Amino acid sequence: MIDIDQHTITQAVLAAQRKSPSPRLAQVMAGLVRHLHAFAREVELTEEEWFEGIRFLTRAGQLTDDKRQEFILLSDVLGLSTLVTAQNNAKPPGCTEATVFGPFFVDGAPRVEAGADIANGAKGMPCDVSGQVRGIDGSRIAGAVIDVWQSDEDGLYDLQHAGGSKIQARAQLVSDADGRYRFRSILASCYAIPHDGPVGDLLRGLGRHPWRPAHLHFKIEARGYERLITHVFRDEDPYLESDAVFGVRSSLLAKWVKHPATATEVEHHSLAFDFVLNPVGASAKP
Amino acid sequence: MIDIDQHTITQAVLAAQRKSPSPRLAQVMAGLVRHLHAFAREVELTEEEWFEGIRFLTRAGQLTDDKRQEFILLSDVLGLSTLVTAQNNAKPPGCTEATVFGPFFVDGAPRVEAGADIANGAKGMPCDVSGQVRGIDGSRIAGAVIDVWQSDEDGLYDLQHAGGSKIQARAQLVSDADGRYRFRSILASCYAIPHDGPVGDLLRGLGRHPWRPAHLHFKIEARGYERLITHVFRDEDPYLESDAVFGVRSSLLAKWVKHPATATEVEHHSLAFDFVLNPVGASAKP
């Protein structure tokens, strides 16, 4: 493999990995190399542009830590997250649709009792959330482990607050014997994804805005069912049609009902949303 | 843009950047998005594999600093660097060919006088290097700024040594009135690229080795000529045919001549190599 040029390099790289001990890794990397090379040829990528790409990834890497995930953000704004989510989550009609995971999940959020206020001081109008977890056959799913996370009134998740190590508007619940869950939190609001880094620069360069419509994140796991990672969106948000990460599905829109203050209760909202899970092994092919 | 699926996501992302203020950025990113999506569809990338990719980039980012550049290394082993170098450096026959830049260049290396020993304590048998910088028409190029960098006997560049801030086997020279340059350094030896990070894991997973044949790096800039970034390789190296980064060109092979110890000189090698630059604006199209 001497005197490789722009035409022969792709075959040279593929030839070098012929002895891979992992057929699947070899398959994935062969596809990646072919498409990466085809991209560079097609756009006639210059050396300066290549170096700009190296600088972009370097900056993204330097920003990324346990509170900031610039690479997931990049995948999200390029539509890769939506593509991978969609092609791996084909479900029968009637199941709750999946959408993107996003960069703000934290493993090990505190488990709370049904009805708990998970805001833990996060800013925003109170909001009661409740619903039921069912299987596609209508069976109630008890003991489903439900992770919920959301941003506050300022559009920030707990881990985005400077120096903040306080867990806010984020918790884990378990559905009851009837499949029901309920908690109090705060009203979700639309927000801009972090745009003070390379992904923000990229969006500006492309004439794109960084806004996402208001939503709650849910991750639901129950024995015998496929894991569901999804959002529930506020149905009157101005950014539903232009979500910066392409995550909106009409089946995930819900009404947040406003309740005026009374003698015994402050002004608040409520949201009811049921989740329908797909049994393991029942997935439709995309 | 609601209810986007794996089939419609590509057009949705392209539509979102229709108002880009930069036609070239929009063109490059459109190509990147189309090929990235085509890759994910073709290999039917799973969510776990997507997350493995995120973890890979995150680890690469955390390793990368002013002494380690895991992203250039990744580009090198995937053949992207060779492709971009080749498609941007087509030159008329007779010009010195370019090859990959690599991750070990440092800006601002000390400028030294002709004949200086640039090893500065780096381990290895002494080696005298000399030659001439000419234009394709044979004219001698005076005042060419020549950066040279190389690894030591242990296969490590100065910046790879633990805690090492000492500049070794790296310098900048200027060609004399006759276009000539000369310096003393150490004998180049083959080495393994850094493989204690994600790129090393990838190579192992693909059944590839991390070795590069022995070489010196040169970057040469002269007014009126195209910048040349290249290597000179030792012509008897066992890794010439399987360079981990696909950088070898037969026109860049050279003989290192061994000189036994004499009464006045220790055992050493010598290398003579001339560089032929292309005038600006004279590039052949690939």
Side-chain angles (χ1 to χ4, degrees), chain A residues 22-29 32 72 75 80-81 84-85 87-88 227, chain B residues 36 39-57 202:
Chain A
S22 163
R24 176 59 180 165
L25 180 64
Q27 180 190 21
V28 170
M29 291 309 298
L32 183 69
I72 291 184
S75 168
L80 179 65
S81 305
V84 171
T85 299
Q87 77 181 2
N88 286 286
R227 184 182 61 188
Chain B
L36 181 66
F39 151 69
R41 281 190 201 100
E42 179 186 302
V43 304
E44 298 185 348
L45 198 70
T46 68
E47 290 170 290
E48 180 48 40
E49 289 166 345
W50 170 85
F51 200 56
E52 190 59 44
I54 296 293
R55 280 193 292 262
F56 182 100
L57 293 170
L202 178 63

Side-chain angles (χ1 to χ4, degrees), chain A residues 137-211:
Chain A
D137 63 354
S139 56
R140 300 151 182 189
I141 303 177
V145 177
I146 304 168
D147 273 280
V148 57
W149 64 107
Q150 68 165 107
S151 66
D152 64 16
E153 189 177 85
D154 295 331
L156 296 173
Y157 289 77
D158 50 4
L159 43 70
Q160 293 180 279
H161 284 287
S165 54
K166 193 172 171 185
I167 292 172
Q168 295 181 311
R170 177 191 301 279
Q172 190 174 79
L173 303 101
V174 178
S175 63
D176 68 14
D178 204 32
R180 300 206 166 270
Y181 73 90
R182 62 193 173 88
F183 61 91
R184 169 160 276 203
S185 184
I186 52 174
L187 188 62
S189 55
C190 57
Y191 64 83
I193 59 172
H195 53 290
D196 58 341
V199 169
D201 290 344
L202 178 64
L203 290 179
R204 276 183 291 280
L206 292 172
R208 289 174 52 180
H209 73 68
W211 287 88

Side-chain angles (χ1 to χ4, degrees), chain A residues 1-6 9 12-13 16-17 19-22 24-29 31-47 49-50 54 57-58 61-62 64 69 71-72 75 78-84 86-89 202 204-208 240-241 246 248-250 286, chain B residues 1-6 9 12-13 16-17 19-22 24-29 31-47 49-50 54 57-58 61-62 64 69 71-72 75 78-84 86-89 202 204-208 240-241 246 248-250 286:
Chain A
M1 295 196 300
I2 281 186
D3 292 327
I4 291 161
D5 66 16
Q6 65 267 44
I9 179 65
V13 180
Q17 64 172 50
K19 293 178 184 163
S20 172
S22 163
R24 176 59 180 165
L25 180 64
Q27 180 190 21
V28 170
M29 291 309 298
L32 183 69
V33 164
R34 281 193 291 96
H35 284 288
L36 181 66
H37 289 194
F39 151 69
R41 282 190 201 100
E42 179 186 303
V43 304
E44 298 183 350
L45 198 71
T46 68
E47 290 169 290
E49 289 166 345
W50 171 84
I54 296 293
L57 292 171
T58 301
Q62 284 163 352
T64 296
Q69 232 310 346
F71 294 112
I72 291 184
S75 168
L78 296 183
L80 179 65
S81 305
T82 283
L83 194 167
V84 171
Q87 77 181 2
N88 286 286
N89 287 279
L202 178 64
R204 276 183 291 280
L206 292 172
R208 289 174 52 180
L240 287 172
E241 287 287 345
F246 312 98
V248 181
R249 296 190 165 243
S250 47
Chain B
M1 295 197 298
I2 281 185
D3 292 327
I4 291 162
D5 65 17
Q6 66 266 46
I9 180 66
V13 179
Q17 64 174 51
K19 293 177 184 164
S20 172
S22 162
R24 176 59 180 165
L25 180 63
Q27 179 190 20
V28 170
M29 291 309 298
L32 182 69
V33 164
R34 280 192 292 94
H35 284 288
L36 181 66
H37 289 193
F39 151 69
R41 281 190 201 100
E42 179 186 302
V43 304
E44 298 185 348
L45 198 70
T46 68
E47 290 170 290
E49 289 166 345
W50 170 85
I54 296 293
L57 293 170
T58 300
Q62 286 163 351
T64 297
Q69 232 310 347
F71 294 112
I72 291 184
S75 168
L78 296 183
L80 180 64
S81 305
T82 284
L83 195 165
V84 171
Q87 75 180 4
N88 287 287
N89 286 280
L202 178 63
R204 275 183 290 280
L206 292 173
R208 290 175 52 181
L240 287 172
E241 287 286 345
F246 312 98
V248 181
R249 295 188 167 246
S250 48

